[in-house]
Amino acid sequence: MKLFVFDHCPFCVKAMMVAGLRKIDLELVYLQNHDVDARIEKVGANLVPILQKEDGSYMAESLDIASYLDNLDGNPAIAEGTMDERISAWMNIAGQFGSRLIYPRWTMIELPEFQSEEAKAWFTKNKSAMIKMSFDEAFANSEEYIAKLNVELLKLDWLVPPSQRNNVLTYDDINIFPFLRNYTVTKGLRYPGNVRQYLDEVSKLTGVALFDSVAVGAPVATA
């Protein structure tokens, strides 16, 4: 089987988490960000992730793919979630600052979906429109957004690391970890102890790497 993804895409990470947790033999294929035709020809829409099953057919929608992979052997390992509303509420607020931090940084580090200037330009144009400012402006305001996101991270006192629940993952983890993982591309964020432990443990269980080693901080002020 093949999974067509972007490494920075949180919806792709949902499927990648399940594949890693269940040790599924799955080939990751990184599409170029601007190559819309490659997605449309597979599932009729500009979507990722896309799973190519063993019979050659394709399926889209991240949670459908996650469920399909988890049920391949008839013994699903991921438990039902119970915190959909809490997670959505937190992400709606945190995402206002998080998106303005991470979008510019995706074009500053080495990612497989941005192997051409065309791919970076396509992403920059579309995401700048989403955050209603240029990447340069967003990056210049990094310190402000880092401070605001640090406040929101303190509110994740309800986040419980897997080791405190028998290393059983739920769909709550599938829904929140990909976004928290993406925030690790920003240097300067302060994670409360439980959040840092959560990130490290889920990363280890699923094999989905964090971005700490390549994180980009705020621009250095010049006199």
Side-chain angles (χ1 to χ4, degrees), residues 36-49:
V36 176
D37 291 343
R39 277 98 76 181
I40 292 177
E41 69 184 13
K42 293 175 177 60
V43 293
N46 181 21
L47 296 172
V48 283

Side-chain angles (χ1 to χ4, degrees), residues 143-173:
E143 288 190 0
E144 174 190 344
Y145 302 138
I146 287 171
K148 289 180 176 178
L149 188 51
N150 277 334
V151 171
E152 298 309 314
L153 288 169
L154 288 171
K155 298 176 183 178
L156 290 174
D157 55 346
W158 44 267
L159 199 63
V160 179
S163 60
Q164 297 178 25
R165 43 188 164 97
N166 299 315
N167 284 328
V168 173
L169 296 189
T170 74
Y171 276 95
D172 292 332
D173 302 306

Side-chain angles (χ1 to χ4, degrees), residues 18 21 33 42 44 53 56 64 67 69 93 100 102 164 177 205-206 210 214 217:
V18 180
L21 179 71
N33 194 259
K42 293 175 177 60
K53 302 178 186 177
D64 290 344
S67 177
L69 293 173
I93 296 173
R100 290 175 175 176
I102 64 177
Q164 297 178 25
F177 171 79
L205 285 170
T206 62
L210 305 176
V214 295

Side-chain angles (χ1 to χ4, degrees), residues 37-203:
D37 291 343
R39 277 98 76 181
I40 292 177
E41 69 184 13
K42 293 175 177 60
V43 293
N46 181 21
L47 296 172
V48 283
I50 299 169
L51 178 69
Q52 185 176 22
K53 302 178 186 177
E54 290 184 350
D55 64 4
S57 63
Y58 296 101
M59 71 179 298
E61 301 298 342
S62 59
L63 289 178
D64 290 344
I65 294 173
S67 177
Y68 176 82
L69 293 173
D70 190 35
N71 284 277
L72 276 176
D73 63 359
N75 295 294
I78 300 173
E80 289 300 312
T82 60
M83 297 188 291
D84 281 354
E85 290 185 7
R86 175 176 275 182
I87 290 170
S88 294
W90 185 84
M91 292 198 305
N92 283 340
I93 296 173
Q96 297 174 43
F97 321 119
S99 58
R100 290 175 175 176
L101 287 169
I102 64 177
Y103 289 167
R105 284 163 172 79
W106 293 142
T107 62
M108 297 177 181
I109 67 171
E110 192 70 24
L111 286 176
E113 56 265 36
F114 296 125
Q115 293 303 301
S116 71
E117 289 305 314
E118 188 177 1
K120 289 182 179 180
W122 194 88
F123 178 82
T124 300
K125 177 183 177 182
N126 285 279
K127 297 304 183 182
S128 294
M130 287 183 65
I131 61 176
K132 297 181 171 60
M133 65 175 62
S134 70
F135 278 11
D136 286 344
E137 183 181 356
F139 183 63
N141 292 330
S142 288
E143 288 190 0
E144 174 190 344
Y145 302 138
I146 287 171
K148 289 180 176 178
L149 188 51
N150 277 334
V151 171
E152 298 309 314
L153 288 169
L154 288 171
K155 298 176 183 178
L156 290 174
D157 55 346
W158 44 267
L159 199 63
V160 179
S163 60
Q164 297 178 25
R165 43 188 164 97
N166 299 315
N167 284 328
V168 173
L169 296 189
T170 74
Y171 276 95
D172 292 332
D173 302 306
I174 300 299
N175 284 324
I176 195 170
F177 171 79
F179 293 89
L180 289 175
R181 178 248 190 180
N182 277 2
Y183 292 155
T184 64
V185 78
T186 302
K187 187 181 296 184
L189 291 175
R190 296 191 299 272
Y191 300 98
N194 67 309
V195 180
R196 184 72 254 183
Q197 184 180 351
Y198 176 87
L199 279 164
D200 292 338
E201 289 185 5
V202 177
S203 174

